[in-house]
Amino acid sequence: MKAFRLDELEAERVANDGAYLQFLRERNMSVGLYALNAGELDPQQPHGQDEVYLVVSGRASITVGMETTQVGRGSVVYVPAGTAHKFHHITEDLRVMVVFSPPEG
């Protein structure tokens, strides 16, 4: 078993001075923590893998392809591989668990 604590992952992400921390990589998936602060721009480009976002905290909008919705704690969003997507109008610091399948990179 592998178990993680969100507060420890956030501290590791901050210590590594990056918006994204991959903390689990297995044969069929990878999982990371993504952070964007209020008012920040999301620099993401489409990925070659399917993604699932679970919003851990914060509030924002997300556009996937041509669809836009508001997200907050507990929101889950699926993004098909190769689809343009961005978080925007981030009104509260956003922390998002990201699952890639197959693994990113």
Side-chain angles (χ1 to χ4, degrees), residues 7-75:
D7 58 342
E8 292 171 354
L9 295 172
E10 176 67 4
E12 184 178 348
R13 184 196 63 76
V14 169
N16 288 316
D17 199 29
Y20 183 73
L21 171 71
Q22 182 182 95
F23 62 88
L24 179 66
R25 183 179 182 85
E26 297 295 334
R27 187 170 60 89
N28 293 317
M29 62 178 271
S30 62
V31 184
L33 179 64
Y34 188 45
L36 293 166
N37 293 325
E40 196 171 353
L41 296 177
D42 183 0
Q44 290 191 85
Q45 298 296 317
H47 304 283
Q49 306 82 4
D50 287 343
E51 294 177 79
V52 173
Y53 290 116
L54 167 61
V55 178
V56 175
S57 63
R59 300 192 66 70
S61 294
I62 186 171
T63 298
V64 178
M66 300 300 290
E67 297 180 86
T68 299
T69 191
Q70 292 185 349
V71 295
R73 183 177 182 212
S75 296

